[in-house]
């Protein structure tokens, strides 16, 4: 119980600290560029046309809504984080309790299984089910979070309170509206998990020598490295999920010119891939703009 409470508190603290970063990231993902690009230099000293980074973007938001505005959508995101942590822990606890009778009757089998790839598959499958359950239950809060952020673009107030947002979504879209963008989000989580755990096991087992003390330290970082690359490879699923969650929901940020009307998440994927925007919002600092490319700027900020 104490471990669960500490996880909830730690997760809530990280959520509060990262809220401005996610806010900026979501607005960039939907294609909102309130500030024109400028001429700057990349890490190699070459002149490039670049869009404003995280700090300039956050300063722009704060200049309109104040610093408090940077934490728009925090309440539903906190609810999502707390509920997701509890559900994730309960599912894993269920599997651990159901495994105890087996451990008492077959200790030898358990030891053999623990040193094989089968155990990695078993643990990853359980983690996948736990994460999927948490994602499924918390996705309605995720949708409300995204929409409350995106309404900054059109200066709407449609999704302000948590209860009002729930009523609005249910009245206009029904139950289905709470799960907009769920499929690509689930697929991204599942693929990312397997891409993280499987290579980490192969590296630890076959690439690193466990007899060397320094290798043991390297093994502790292998999963973090594979997790980083897995998150990069599955980022398009995150982008598509977020775009579908706010698409055609009555907000300016989910309508043209910021966002086309998508018929499905596959249609969204194909259109982003065709336009070369599959990594939009992935970088918040070095945001290079190809020459000749046009963006939908907020004309009110250019007057």
């Amino acid at each position: 119980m104490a471990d669960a409470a500490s996880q909830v508190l730690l997760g809530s603290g990280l959520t509060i600290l990262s809220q401005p970063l996610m806010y900026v990231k979501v607005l960039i993902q939907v294609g909102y560029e309130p500030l024109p690009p400028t001429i700057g230099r990349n890490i190699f000293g070459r002149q490039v046309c670049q869009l404003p980074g995280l700090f300039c973007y956050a300063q722009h938001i704060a200049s309109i809504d104040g610093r408090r505005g940077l934490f728009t959508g925090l309440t539903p995101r906190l609810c999502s984080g707390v509920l997701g942590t509890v559900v994730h822990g309960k599912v894993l606890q269920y599997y651990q309790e159901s495994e105890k009778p087996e451990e008492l009757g077959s200790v030898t089998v358990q030891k053999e299984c623990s040193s094989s790839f089968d155990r990695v598959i078993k643990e990853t499958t359980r983690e996948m089910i736990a994460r999927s359950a948490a994602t499924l239950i918390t996705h309605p809060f995720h949708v409300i979070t995204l929409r409350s952020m995106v309404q900054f673009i059109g200066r709407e107030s449609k999704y302000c309170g948590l209860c009002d947002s729930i009523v609005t979504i249910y009245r206009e879209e029904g139950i289905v509206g709470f799960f907009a963008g769920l499929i690509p989000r689930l697929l991204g989580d599942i693929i990312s998990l397997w891409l993280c755990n499987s290579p980490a096991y192969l590296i630890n087992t076959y690439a690193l020598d466990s007899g060397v003390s320094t290798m043991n330290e390297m093994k502790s970082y292998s999963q973090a490295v594979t997790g980083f690359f897995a998150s990069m490879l599955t980022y398009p699923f995150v982008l598509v999920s977020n775009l579908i969650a706010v698409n055609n929901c009555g907000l300016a940020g989910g309508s043209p010119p910021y966002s086309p009307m998508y018929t499905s998440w596959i249609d969204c994927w194909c259109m982003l891939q065709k336009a070369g925007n599959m990594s939009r919002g992935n970088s918040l600092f070095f945001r290079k703009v190809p020459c000749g490319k046009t963006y939908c700027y907020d004309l009110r900020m250019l007057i």
Side-chain angles (χ1 to χ4, degrees):
M1 189 69 180
D3 292 339
S6 62
Q7 289 180 1
V8 169
L9 290 175
L10 178 61
S12 300
L14 293 175
T15 297
I16 295 172
L17 292 175
S18 63
Q19 181 67 13
L21 186 146
M22 182 184 176
Y23 193 7
V24 171
K25 193 179 190 72
V26 168
L27 292 180
I28 293 175
Q29 285 176 339
V30 298
Y32 178 61
E33 297 294 345
L35 304 173
T38 58
I39 301 298
R41 295 185 181 274
N42 59 15
I43 57 176
F44 302 105
R46 177 182 296 180
Q47 280 191 348
V48 293
C49 186
Q50 60 185 15
L51 290 165
L54 169 65
F55 299 109
C56 291
Y57 214 119
Q59 187 176 11
H60 167 73
I61 296 174
S63 66
I64 297 177
D65 289 341
R67 294 182 180 178
R68 186 179 179 181
L70 292 171
F71 296 91
T72 299
L74 178 60
T75 300
R77 192 175 174 218
L78 281 174
C79 294
S80 175
V82 172
L83 185 59
T85 301
V86 173
V87 172
H88 181 270
K90 290 294 183 181
V91 174
L92 291 181
Q93 183 181 1
Y94 168 78
Y95 280 113
Q96 290 174 357
E97 292 177 351
S98 63
E99 192 181 40
K100 287 180 180 179
E102 298 179 6
E103 291 179 349
L104 295 175
S106 56
V107 179
T108 305
V109 176
Q110 181 68 22
K111 288 183 178 179
E112 292 177 355
C113 180
S114 62
S115 60
S116 66
F117 189 61
D118 293 338
R119 182 166 182 80
V120 176
I121 295 177
K122 185 178 181 181
E123 292 178 350
T124 304
T125 302
R126 291 179 176 180
E127 179 67 21
M128 177 187 68
I129 295 173
R131 288 191 185 184
S132 298
T135 299
L136 180 64
I137 293 177
T138 62
H139 193 74
F141 294 102
H142 181 68
V143 172
I144 295 173
T145 299
L146 295 175
R147 294 185 180 184
S148 62
M149 292 176 174
V150 170
Q151 66 184 2
F152 172 84
I153 298 174
R155 308 304 298 160
E156 297 106 336
S157 57
K158 189 175 182 180
Y159 300 95
C160 286
L162 180 60
C163 296
D164 291 341
S165 299
I166 293 175
V167 172
T168 299
I169 295 175
Y170 182 77
R171 183 178 63 247
E172 296 183 358
E173 304 172 55
I175 297 296
V176 179
F178 292 105
F179 299 96
L182 175 63
I183 295 178
R185 189 183 178 199
L186 278 175
L187 288 175
D189 287 345
I190 293 172
I191 296 173
S192 177
L193 179 63
W194 284 99
L195 285 178
C196 174
N197 288 0
S198 300
Y201 170 80
L202 296 175
I203 292 172
N204 292 343
T205 304
Y206 301 106
L208 300 179
D209 185 5
S210 59
V212 183
S213 59
T214 56
M215 291 296 104
N216 291 332
E217 295 179 2
M218 292 179 63
K219 286 183 178 182
S220 62
Y221 297 106
S222 62
Q223 192 164 12
V225 174
T226 55
F228 172 76
F229 285 106
S231 64
M232 290 181 60
L233 292 174
T234 57
Y235 177 77
F237 289 96
V238 178
L239 176 61
V240 171
S241 175
N242 290 351
L243 290 179
I244 292 298
V246 301
N247 192 247
N248 195 22
C249 65
L251 298 177
S255 308
Y258 299 102
S259 175
M261 295 298 184
Y262 303 114
T263 57
S264 65
W265 73 268
I266 298 178
D267 179 45
C268 177
W269 183 290
C270 294
M271 292 184 68
L272 289 173
Q273 194 172 40
K274 185 178 180 180
N277 289 331
M278 295 301 286
S279 61
R280 187 172 65 193
N282 194 17
S283 175
L284 296 179
F285 294 98
F286 300 101
R287 305 178 59 219
K288 182 180 176 181
V289 180
C291 295
K293 191 165 186 176
T294 58
Y295 285 84
C296 296
Y297 301 110
D298 189 347
L299 297 180
R300 293 171 299 177
M301 306 311 302
L302 301 178
I303 298 177

